[in-house]
Amino acid sequence: MSGLAPVPDAEHESVPIGSNDDVVRARQLVRALAQQCKLSLVDQTKLVTAASELARNTLVYGGGGVMRVGLVHRDGRVGVTAVFEDSGPGIPDVDQALTDGWTSGGGLGLGLSGARRLVDDFTLQTEVGGGTQVAITKWAR
Amino acid sequence: MLKIGDVLLVSIQVELEDQVVLELQDDLAARIVDSGASGVVIDITAVEIVDSFVGRMLATTAAISRMLDAQTVVVGMRPAVAITLVELGLSLGGVRTALTLEKGLEILARRDDSRPAQL
Amino acid sequence: MPEQDTCTRLVELLTAEQESLGAAWVEAVSRTLRGRISLAELDRELRELYAALVEGLRGGGLDWRGDAFGEVRALLAELSRTRARQGFTPTETATSVLAGKDVLAPSEDTSAGDVRAYLHLSKLIDALGLFTLEVYAKTREEIISAQAEQLMELSTPVVKLWEGVVAVPLVGTLDSARTQVVMEKLLQALVDTGSDQAIIDITGVPAVDTEVAQHLLKTVVAARLMGAECIISGIRPQIAQTIVALGIQFGDIVTKSSLADALKHALRRGDAAVVRPGGRA
């Protein structure tokens, strides 16, 4: 999918997400950036947790994909944006997928809805058979 | 995994990969049965994030331990981790928690005291 | 008259009597500021501005956004930031700039061409006046947010009441941001002091809304996850009514009417939790 690309190309780093190892690497990369833009400890933790949920979704439900992450600037504020993309089956019912407790694969069903609550900006683009793209941003206070 | 008296102590030090989390859960169940432990303390002082996967592992481990007649106490959860778990919507239902390792051991000791047959 | 000619004429008019026109401007502005800024300072400020304006007209026509007006914008931004910090009103600040219009105001014997030139200058100064106001507003916003931050720091003391008991007395209106800060501080205090009892006293809080009540609830749940218990004390009747009316479930959270009752409860609970081997029978 090549819809919105909120991460500026010049600044972002890409991590393939194809194994459990990659999920850990994605978390570490997001944490490093969160520290770099001086998010509070709580906000760092929220962002990294959200990234962890989404990276696992990409791996488990999307059959693997890629995470792009970078710093973003808006109205004099700095934030961290992470975009998770896969070309998996997509999500047929987005509203349902964003409901607490809904899961298509054995989890608690808190992944998407939980991740959304942990960040400031959350966008989801999905197409049945065409993959899923989730972008999250957390701004420094 | 350390055994102090009849309590198993699991201290999680590294950033956990999902597979490792699942292995830990299996190992722990086996150790409870082998050692006849009556309590398990999982120390997560060093853990920087608990996502729904790790959270579920903690809850499942506690449930399994209970079936094997051992009580689980999770100790040392950081404030940022607790706030994040609440926001995530995860309540760790049924898992006992304590601020520190000592307080966790106290909870388990108290439980032992109340066991009528134990001396 | 083409723009170029207008500018040339304006530069002529402004430079011919720079000294007296500048003085008139300073005079007009100083009247509105009534001595709250020294005449020398005002004189320096406005004459610099005047000179920059002439240079701008000479170099860049009437486009105040252009490069030639960079100096003018910089001076105006500084003027307006200073005024905002010193507590001048927006009107007083804008007047410093707008008063410049009176200086060149046409009289009965002004030629038609000059009147048109004046109209262009008038428009330019209006635009600069608006720019000044924008900077002014922005500066005020910065001041307000800085103060809000300071206030937040000041107004959320977490105190250790007893061995194993911390308390946070909340005073004033709680908004979502402040409640979140309190929550983080309180939870950190539990770790720092090794306390497993926390009291949130809201005697000094006049009202709560849904969001704030939710934050309080989340604090209690987060504290439990860490192995600590919270007591909420000092809930006013109106707040109790609000909470019930909002349909928020406080569930099994312990609430006490006063901080003293809460402390008593915390100590009793703390005792019960610490039964040392060979202790109480």
Side-chain angles (χ1 to χ4, degrees):
Chain A
M1 286 189 67
S2 59
L4 287 176
V7 182
D9 280 342
E11 291 184 43
H12 82 249
E13 287 187 70
S14 281
V15 198
I17 294 175
S19 70
N20 286 326
D21 263 354
D22 292 336
V23 175
V24 174
R25 202 165 309 128
R27 280 204 293 255
Q28 285 164 348
L29 196 55
V30 171
R31 176 178 295 281
L33 284 169
Q35 283 165 349
Q36 197 183 322
C37 87
K38 299 206 164 48
L39 286 182
S40 73
L41 185 60
V42 172
D43 285 347
Q44 278 179 34
T45 309
K46 285 182 178 175
L47 177 66
V48 176
T49 307
S52 184
E53 299 293 338
L54 296 175
R56 188 175 299 107
N57 277 357
T58 302
L59 180 66
V60 176
Y61 303 117
V66 68
M67 176 190 79
R68 290 180 296 131
V69 62
L71 295 184
V72 281
H73 303 263
R74 192 174 72 199
D75 302 334
R77 291 205 296 169
V78 196
V80 181
T81 288
V83 184
F84 300 83
E85 276 175 294
D86 65 59
S87 40
I91 303 168
D93 187 340
V94 174
D95 287 341
Q96 191 185 35
L98 283 170
T99 308
D100 270 353
W102 184 85
T103 172
S104 65
L108 281 176
L110 293 168
L112 273 183
S113 57
R116 179 161 69 168
R117 280 194 296 271
L118 293 175
V119 296
D120 298 321
D121 300 342
F122 180 98
T123 57
L124 173 82
Q125 288 187 319
T126 183
E127 204 179 302
V128 174
T132 301
Q133 185 197 66
V134 183
I136 54 171
T137 305
K138 191 99 190 155
W139 298 99
R141 271 190 223 152
Chain B
M1 224 175 283
L2 208 67
K3 191 158 184 262
I4 308 170
D6 57 359
V7 173
L8 281 175
L9 172 63
V10 187
S11 183
I12 302 179
Q13 293 296 336
V14 288
E15 184 154 5
L16 293 176
E17 193 199 288
D18 290 1
Q19 197 50 44
V20 179
V21 172
L22 294 175
E23 282 163 16
L24 183 71
Q25 194 173 305
D26 290 349
D27 284 358
L28 188 60
R31 274 297 294 273
I32 293 170
V33 175
D34 292 349
S35 65
S38 72
V40 177
V41 174
I42 304 179
D43 184 355
I44 58 167
T45 311
V47 175
E48 290 181 327
I49 74 155
V50 173
D51 59 13
S52 63
F53 190 81
V54 175
R56 185 154 45 117
M57 180 277 273
L58 293 174
T60 313
T61 303
I64 294 172
S65 308
R66 213 159 25 237
M67 294 186 78
L68 300 173
D69 198 23
Q71 189 179 9
T72 305
V73 182
V74 172
V75 303
M77 186 183 292
R78 299 180 178 197
V81 170
I83 291 171
T84 303
L85 277 180
V86 173
E87 209 66 56
L88 196 59
L90 214 60
S91 62
L92 297 190
V95 180
R96 289 294 309 259
T97 54
L99 221 50
T100 59
L101 178 56
E102 284 144 14
K103 287 181 196 280
L105 291 172
E106 259 170 35
I107 288 176
L108 292 175
R110 200 157 65 234
R111 188 207 177 214
D112 280 353
D113 286 348
S114 63
R115 275 186 184 178
Q118 200 141 15
L119 285 171
Chain C
M1 192 163 29
E3 186 177 308
Q4 193 53 49
D5 296 349
T6 308
C7 290
T8 316
R9 182 63 189 143
L10 281 173
V11 171
E12 259 173 48
L13 288 168
L14 286 168
T15 41
E17 289 175 79
Q18 184 150 1
E19 194 47 46
S20 63
L21 290 176
W25 190 0
V26 173
E27 159 69 20
V29 174
S30 81
R31 238 180 294 129
T32 67
L33 300 183
R34 290 186 307 268
R36 276 179 293 158
I37 194 166
S38 84
L39 208 57
E41 197 180 332
L42 188 63
D43 192 79
R44 183 188 54 78
E45 252 178 23
L46 296 182
R47 282 186 193 273
E48 265 178 17
L49 187 57
Y50 191 109
L53 185 64
V54 173
E55 282 316 303
L57 285 168
R58 210 196 299 274
L62 292 164
D63 177 21
W64 67 276
R65 286 189 186 83
D67 288 345
F69 281 88
E71 175 72 9
V72 174
R73 291 195 302 270
L75 287 170
L76 283 177
E78 193 195 317
L79 177 142
S80 134
R81 270 198 283 270
T82 320
R83 296 276 200 282
R85 291 218 180 82
Q86 290 167 339
F88 287 94
T89 66
T91 307
E92 285 164 337
T93 306
T95 305
S96 295
V97 181
L98 298 176
K101 280 160 70 170
D102 296 338
V103 170
L104 267 188
S107 56
E108 280 168 14
D109 48 353
T110 310
S111 75
D114 283 357
V115 170
R116 269 197 297 277
Y118 169 77
L119 287 176
H120 281 290
L121 178 71
S122 174
K123 248 196 225 161
L124 174 68
I125 293 184
D126 283 343
L128 294 174
L130 285 178
F131 171 76
T132 311
L133 274 184
E134 245 169 61
V135 177
Y136 178 93
K138 215 169 157 199
T139 308
R140 291 298 288 237
E141 271 165 31
E142 284 165 15
I143 293 173
I144 290 168
S145 74
Q147 284 175 342
E149 216 165 283
Q150 285 170 1
L151 198 64
M152 200 122 88
E153 284 300 309
L154 283 177
S155 61
T156 52
V158 180
V159 291
K160 185 171 168 182
L161 276 191
W162 206 272
E163 198 56 46
V165 185
V166 291
V168 53
L170 296 176
V171 176
T173 310
L174 289 177
D175 62 10
S176 167
R178 195 180 146 209
T179 314
Q180 223 164 329
V181 171
V182 174
M183 162 171 172
E184 291 175 24
K185 271 193 158 185
L186 180 66
L187 298 181
Q188 189 56 51
L190 292 174
V191 176
D192 295 344
T193 62
S195 304
D196 51 16
Q197 302 285 329
I199 300 171
I200 304 172
D201 183 69
I202 59 171
T203 310
V205 177
V208 295
D209 59 13
T210 317
E211 219 176 328
V212 169
Q214 293 290 3
H215 276 304
L216 288 176
L217 273 179
K218 284 179 189 171
T219 311
V220 176
V221 179
R224 279 192 186 153
L225 283 176
M226 293 170 57
E229 280 298 324
C230 287
I231 302 165
I232 299 179
S233 68
I235 302 182
R236 297 174 174 216
Q238 307 94 294
I239 293 183
Q241 279 174 348
T242 316
I243 289 173
V244 173
L246 290 171
I248 296 164
Q249 300 291 330
F250 261 46
D252 53 351
I253 295 170
V254 178
T255 53
K256 291 284 161 195
S257 60
S258 71
L259 184 54
D261 285 346
L263 179 59
K264 209 187 290 171
H265 183 88
L267 290 175
R268 205 179 304 135
R269 193 154 61 180
D271 272 355
V274 191
V275 181
R276 293 185 184 82
R280 290 170 195 88

